[in-house]
Amino acid sequence: MKNRLYYIIMCAVLATAFTYAPPAHAILPTEVRWHNESSDTTKITDILIKVTNAHPTTPNETVALIAKEFIGTPYVAGTLEGSPEMLTVNLDELDCTTFIDIVAALALTIEERRSSWQDFLHNLEQMRYRQGRVDGYGSRLHYISDWIVSNNHRGYIQEMTDRLPNSHYQVKTLDYMSRHREAYPALKDSTEYERIKSAEVGYRSHRFPYIKSSSLMGKNGTANLKEGDIVALTTKTPGLDVSHMGIIVMEKDGPHLLHASSKAGKVVIDKLNLSDYLRKAHQITGLRVIRIKEQ
């Protein structure tokens, strides 16, 4: 009888050990710098429910549906800046980077079959910060290469660039922020400045794939792009890898960029198709292609 009781207890313990998963870190609302907590949480929930109910069949379709919800949103730069560093949520004002990380975090939430703004906050923090936690200005993934490497490693995204035809590699040292310290108020703090320099060390002579603009402007050059692809536009600027980001949407004349445009002053589907856009953007050398992974 004792042996049978012991067996039953041990089976229960083992079953608990294999099925129990510790709860994910949940960021508290008091740890968030909201633009407007009431309207932001309502909008997050509405988008999650609306897009989920549209029954997208791929992560790319999810991304495209979410991105279109932000068309017309005003372009405002620098909305993440503030002291102390906090998870900042502002769905009413976007720049090209905040547009992408908000859309990506919403898409990841839907891919995980979750539908609450709390889940979105968790994913936004996971994707925006090193190790998935806010820990000062230096913990934010400022360089897009760093954002790609981190989120690719964590299984949230997949870089497709080197899997597509006509991809090449570029080698660049990423040190723009430390060399332009005066442009970043947070870097007046010597500790944060050293943290940024430390992060840049990992990106000395950084080798990354890209598809040259000239390849994309040729016949069928954009044929392998899909609606919902996140694209990072690479730049000639010394010390910098990417100068702009957007999402591919398909129009009658081919792919267009859905992006937070400083020129238009809002989130728009660009009037130019991607080939013509790149033809006019002389500082852009090409692009990288990123897709949200199915969870």
Side-chain angles (χ1 to χ4, degrees):
M1 183 66 181
K2 286 184 178 180
N3 288 341
R4 180 175 175 79
L5 181 59
Y6 175 80
Y7 175 77
I8 292 171
I9 293 170
M10 286 306 297
C11 283
V13 169
L14 288 171
T16 302
F18 282 104
T19 59
Y20 173 76
H25 164 68
I27 190 165
L28 300 173
T30 54
E31 299 176 296
V32 179
R33 182 180 290 115
W34 300 94
H35 179 246
N36 184 320
E37 183 175 353
S38 177
S39 65
D40 284 340
T41 53
T42 299
K43 186 169 185 177
I44 291 163
T45 303
D46 288 347
I47 290 173
L48 291 172
I49 292 172
K50 180 178 180 180
V51 174
T52 298
N53 288 342
H55 304 294
T57 58
T58 66
N60 267 48
E61 187 179 351
T62 301
V63 168
L65 288 170
I66 293 168
K68 290 173 184 178
E69 291 295 313
F70 290 97
I71 291 174
T73 302
Y75 177 97
V76 177
T79 59
L80 299 187
E81 307 314 316
S83 184
E85 181 77 13
M86 296 176 71
L87 183 67
T88 298
V89 179
N90 183 348
L91 275 66
D92 298 323
E93 301 168 328
L94 299 169
D95 62 24
C96 71
T97 305
T98 56
F99 172 55
I100 294 301
D101 72 6
I102 284 173
V103 170
L106 285 165
L108 179 61
T109 304
I110 290 173
E111 283 301 305
E112 292 176 337
R113 296 171 177 79
R114 298 178 184 273
S115 58
S116 77
W117 58 264
Q118 293 95 334
D119 295 315
F120 162 77
L121 290 182
H122 171 75
N123 286 329
L124 183 63
E125 184 181 29
Q126 289 288 304
M127 299 188 81
R128 187 182 283 174
Y129 288 93
R130 198 176 314 283
Q131 308 302 325
R133 296 295 297 270
V134 178
D135 183 23
Y137 183 80
S139 69
R140 201 193 312 163
L141 298 166
H142 296 277
Y143 289 101
I144 301 306
S145 286
D146 203 8
W147 183 83
I148 292 172
V149 168
S150 176
N151 286 297
N152 194 81
H153 176 72
R154 295 167 75 84
Y156 300 144
I157 65 172
Q158 184 171 29
E159 175 152 25
M160 302 300 299
T161 314
D162 58 354
R163 302 181 180 209
L164 300 179
N166 300 317
S167 65
H168 294 78
Y169 282 89
Q170 184 174 5
V171 177
K172 235 179 173 184
T173 291
L174 307 184
D175 59 2
Y176 185 89
M177 292 182 71
S178 62
R179 290 199 295 114
H180 295 83
R181 183 178 182 179
E182 70 286 351
Y184 302 91
L187 297 188
K188 291 179 181 177
D189 183 290
S190 59
T191 299
E192 295 296 351
Y193 175 65
E194 290 302 324
R195 291 182 72 192
I196 290 296
K197 286 185 68 177
S198 178
E200 290 174 343
V201 167
Y203 291 91
R204 288 177 182 168
S205 299
H206 177 55
R207 183 174 181 265
F208 59 88
Y210 77 121
I211 302 172
K212 293 181 180 180
S213 294
S214 56
S215 296
L216 294 159
M217 289 185 283
K219 185 178 180 180
N220 299 321
T222 60
N224 292 288
L225 297 177
K226 296 182 178 181
E227 178 152 301
D229 280 346
I230 297 169
V231 291
L233 306 185
T234 55
T235 179
K236 294 178 181 178
T237 304
L240 196 60
D241 51 349
V242 167
S243 60
H244 193 52
M245 298 187 79
I247 292 165
I248 296 296
V249 293
M250 293 299 178
E251 303 283 284
K252 291 180 180 179
D253 59 344
H256 284 240
L257 200 63
L258 170 50
H259 60 143
S261 167
S262 58
K263 182 178 179 181
K266 58 186 176 181
V267 176
V268 296
I269 298 175
D270 207 275
K271 293 180 180 179
L272 297 174
N273 64 36
L274 183 63
S275 296
D276 289 340
Y277 180 92
L278 293 172
R279 191 172 286 111
K280 290 178 176 290
H282 302 299
Q283 284 298 112
I284 291 173
T285 60
L287 57 76
R288 301 172 71 174
V289 181
I290 301 104
R291 292 175 185 161
I292 299 293
K293 288 187 72 173
E294 188 169 353
Q295 299 298 304

